[in-house]
Amino acid sequence: MSGAVPTAPEQPADEVENHTKLPVDPPDYNSHFVPGPPGAAVPPSAGYPGGLPMGYYSPQQPSTFPLCHPTAGTHPIQYQPGKYPVPVQSAPVTWMPVPTLMPDCPPGLEYLTQLDNIHVLQHFEPLEMMTRFETNNKYDIKNNLDQMVYTVTEDTDDFTRNAYRTLRPFVLRVTDYMGREIMTMQRPFRCTCCCFCCPSTRQELEVQCPPGVTIGFVLDHWNLCRAVYSIQNAKKENMMHVRGPCSTYGCGSDSVFEVTSLDRVSNIGSIIRKWNGLMSGMGDADHFDIRFPLDLDVKMKAMIFGACFLIDFMYFERSPVQRSSR
């Protein structure tokens, strides 16, 4: 065996030259650029007599990035194909059909002539629970078909709400689907420093429909065991009584306020505060179910409707918990 080292087979000189020779110019590739219609002439930017150098973008010279122009259609593509979260859209509000006008019926109360049951749904305010800042109450009034009938909004200034809390005087404005105020409910301030049986401490709610025309009052009566109210007409004559349960703080059950006649024998209707679980125990978002006869006078229906809000503020309106200063 000789000590010669094996070498690679020799290649022709022309092949070696082809491997080592670099191309002088890059190869040609088919361009994917689709030219668009010519645009308006744009004056060159200051500092560059001939326009911006290649590769620079300017809002005044959008053609520097031709690939950004859509090749078809009139709307740009906003999302690339793939899975993206769908934006949350609020469900449309369905309103109750507008009833025909009726004689001897205050304008806006025609809805109540067709109903024997309405639901009062208070809006939940998480910001109020976190900041302990009392805000104006808002309510949605719906029928059994989940159609909106009215909206109720409290109109009280910030100082009054946060200084007097649940004892605050308030004004509630009831509006229809067009935003017209068809009813106003007012509660004046009543001092609670005196004896509970003193007439000056009795809570009162005035109902006006249309605003400025009083149709009745809801008056609180002192009772040792239960909540008692009287519903009066515009002349302050008693028309009906409202009798509440012995305890309005029942956990896990509804609170029923019965609407009875003056002799307290016949039952006319009811105001039921529904138990909503944790929302009823911790939150300030109540749900009331109001029931009355279909053929009841529409003004008395409005008075029972107004009594619901006085009951809410007196027994179920919870003030945010205040931290101790210590």
Side-chain angles (χ1 to χ4, degrees), residues 273-286:
R273 191 257 189 172
K274 308 293 289 186
W275 173 258
N276 291 331
L278 187 62
M279 292 293 293
S280 297
M282 298 182 60
D284 190 12
D286 296 316

Side-chain angles (χ1 to χ4, degrees), residues 55-67:
Y56 286 82
Y57 172 75
S58 171
Q60 292 82 17
Q61 199 172 354
S63 61
T64 54
F65 287 160
L67 293 180

Side-chain angles (χ1 to χ4, degrees), residues 51-114:
L52 291 175
M54 181 61 67
Y56 286 82
Y57 172 75
S58 171
Q60 292 82 17
Q61 199 172 354
S63 61
T64 54
F65 287 160
L67 293 180
C68 294
H69 293 280
T71 59
T74 58
H75 301 283
I77 299 176
Q78 298 181 355
Y79 297 99
Q80 294 293 333
K83 294 182 178 180
Y84 290 90
V86 179
V88 179
Q89 298 180 355
S90 58
V93 178
T94 304
W95 286 85
M96 181 178 173
V98 181
T100 57
L101 298 179
M102 301 181 60
D104 300 330
C105 178
L109 295 187
E110 295 86 1
Y111 296 92
L112 297 181
T113 61
Q114 303 179 1

Side-chain angles (χ1 to χ4, degrees), residues 119-125 128 134 137-141 166 248-250 253 255 257 271-289 308-319:
H119 299 269
V120 179
L121 306 172
Q122 184 179 1
H123 290 198
F124 176 63
E125 299 290 346
E128 182 177 304
E134 188 76 33
N137 289 353
K138 297 179 181 179
Y139 306 84
D140 290 339
I141 314 303
T166 59
T248 58
Y249 303 97
S253 61
S255 299
F257 294 78
I271 302 173
I272 305 173
R273 191 257 189 172
K274 308 293 289 186
W275 173 258
N276 291 331
L278 187 62
M279 292 293 293
S280 297
M282 298 182 60
D284 190 12
D286 296 316
H287 174 197
F288 289 90
D289 183 7
C308 171
F309 295 95
L310 184 59
I311 292 173
D312 181 34
F313 273 85
M314 290 187 61
Y315 294 100
F316 304 108
E317 177 74 7
R318 291 179 175 84
S319 298

Side-chain angles (χ1 to χ4, degrees), residues 30-209:
N30 294 328
S31 176
H32 296 280
F33 166 62
V34 179
V42 181
S45 304
Y48 294 94
L52 291 175
M54 181 61 67
Y56 286 82
Y57 172 75
S58 171
Q60 292 82 17
Q61 199 172 354
S63 61
T64 54
F65 287 160
L67 293 180
C68 294
H69 293 280
T71 59
T74 58
H75 301 283
I77 299 176
Q78 298 181 355
Y79 297 99
Q80 294 293 333
K83 294 182 178 180
Y84 290 90
V86 179
V88 179
Q89 298 180 355
S90 58
V93 178
T94 304
W95 286 85
M96 181 178 173
V98 181
T100 57
L101 298 179
M102 301 181 60
D104 300 330
C105 178
L109 295 187
E110 295 86 1
Y111 296 92
L112 297 181
T113 61
Q114 303 179 1
L115 299 173
D116 59 355
N117 184 206
I118 56 177
H119 299 269
V120 179
L121 306 172
Q122 184 179 1
H123 290 198
F124 176 63
E125 299 290 346
L127 185 63
E128 182 177 304
M129 296 184 61
M130 293 185 294
T131 62
R132 299 179 301 279
F133 183 83
E134 188 76 33
T135 59
N136 280 323
N137 289 353
K138 297 179 181 179
Y139 306 84
D140 290 339
I141 314 303
K142 297 184 177 183
N143 58 15
N144 286 333
L145 300 178
D146 202 33
Q147 296 174 335
M148 192 81 76
V149 182
Y150 302 118
T151 58
V152 181
T153 306
E154 180 185 358
D155 186 7
T156 311
D157 61 90
D158 294 339
F159 173 78
T160 303
R161 287 196 313 271
N162 291 274
Y164 297 98
R165 299 293 177 175
T166 59
L167 298 176
R168 63 184 182 266
F170 61 77
V171 176
L172 297 178
R173 306 190 185 278
V174 184
T175 55
D176 61 3
Y177 77 104
M178 294 185 61
R180 297 176 301 184
E181 184 177 350
I182 57 101
M183 186 188 306
T184 302
M185 293 175 280
Q186 300 179 358
R187 179 177 81 161
F189 176 73
R190 290 289 186 266
C191 179
T192 58
C193 300
C194 304
C195 178
F196 289 105
C197 58
C198 180
S200 61
T201 63
R202 297 166 63 182
Q203 299 294 324
E204 183 181 85
L205 180 76
E206 179 184 357
V207 180
Q208 301 176 359
C209 184

